[in-house]
Amino acid sequence: MADGGAVRAVEAGTSAHFWEPGSQILWRYRENAGAHVHIARPVTVVRDDEDLLAVWLAPGTECVKPVLADGTSVHAEPLESRYTKPRSVQRDRWFGTGVLKLARPGLPWSVWLFWEPGWRFKNWYVNLEEPLARWAGGVDSEDHFLDITVDPDGSWQWRDEDEFAQAQQDGLMGPDLAEQVREAGRSAVEVIRAWGPPFSDGWPDWRPDPSWTVPLLPEDWDRTPAHLSS
């Protein structure tokens, strides 16, 4: 993990609060209706400024993901009991092609880019989530279940509406938050239809710096940011 002055300044709240390209940080998600981190992905900063945070999740990166308490994959569990059975976390690796993640400050979604082998662009994925909270070691959020996929031709569709409904039924999301998530999705769709940033910015042609190393997952991947621990 990078630990330079620019990174420390994030936690100190000073003006020098952007990570340099090539910095290695954590992109994390808290469990829904809980306080613990259950997803942690080491990533490399591509760009970080007042308009955009862009990071690269490289193939083979060791990550943390949620599983059922017996180690079963969450998605192998029927939807009706997926969110009510006891859970744990386990280390795993991000296999397949990498993912470019783009997030604009304050927006309740991030946009991910996926490629097929050989760098054939596959699609954008709009992940509806709590706006990213920055801390010295990276960014934290909470996933909001509902998503949108966008094909290269600009066509789009909702994803995981069944999970979104089940999460509400199981008490992981109240009606007010659910409506906020729907509104966030509608706002994202407006951007897609207008083909605004980041869709119009040429990111499918981006490639990672070949000199970058795959970030390591730190032992304290679940540490509490200093500004939340007092």
Side-chain angles (χ1 to χ4, degrees), residues 4 15 33-34 39 42 48-49 66 72 100-101 103 122 131 164-166 183 196:
S15 59
I39 293 174
D48 186 31
D49 53 40
T72 301
L100 179 67
K101 299 186 177 190
K122 181 180 180 183
F164 183 59
Q166 189 69 43
E183 180 57 34

Side-chain angles (χ1 to χ4, degrees), residues 57-80:
L57 175 58
T61 301
E62 186 178 22
C63 303
V64 171
K65 69 176 185 179
V67 293
L68 298 184
D70 63 1
T72 301
S73 168
V74 168
H75 291 284
E77 181 68 19
L79 184 60
E80 293 74 16

Side-chain angles (χ1 to χ4, degrees), residues 224-230:
T224 301
H227 69 278
L228 298 179
S229 60
S230 57

Side-chain angles (χ1 to χ4, degrees), residues 178-212:
E179 179 51 36
Q180 292 174 26
V181 174
R182 274 291 184 192
E183 180 57 34
R186 289 190 286 266
S187 296
V189 167
E190 290 180 6
V191 176
I192 296 166
R193 286 174 169 162
W195 210 243
F199 304 100
S200 58
D201 292 341
W203 286 106
D205 297 325
W206 174 87
R207 300 293 182 266
D209 187 325
S211 70
W212 287 346

